[in-house]
Amino acid sequence: IGSVQADLSALGGTAEEFLEDDGTGGDVKSGDLIFMKEIRIPLGTKGPSVTIPVVVSDKKGGAAQGQIKLDIL
């Protein structure tokens, strides 16, 4: 995996947030292929769930799109 990009605009972020796998930005362990992003969700964010579009790209130029469903409690 080369990169993971998520549209976090529904959660107060930007439409082009890159998740990290380098031990920074909320990522716990560098190089484990678990991509993370730490954000603060603003009070009043509409729920009960939000769908987050993601794009996963490899280092050869290929890409796949998907979605993450996040429940807001």
Side-chain angles (χ1 to χ4, degrees):
I1 297 175
S3 67
V4 177
Q5 183 179 357
D7 178 350
L8 300 179
S9 58
L11 300 172
T14 68
E16 297 180 354
E17 296 270 356
F18 283 93
L19 282 61
E20 308 294 341
D21 185 29
D22 61 0
T24 67
D27 184 51
V28 177
K29 183 178 178 186
S30 178
D32 61 0
L33 296 178
I34 298 174
F35 289 76
M36 303 174 83
K37 182 74 172 187
E38 183 175 332
I39 64 167
R40 293 187 184 265
I41 300 173
L43 289 175
T45 299
K46 296 190 182 213
S49 64
V50 174
T51 300
I52 301 168
V54 296
V55 177
V56 179
S57 301
D58 65 20
K59 295 178 182 177
K60 295 181 180 181
Q65 297 181 0
Q67 297 179 339
I68 298 169
K69 181 183 174 192
L70 177 68
D71 292 326
I72 300 172
L73 305 174

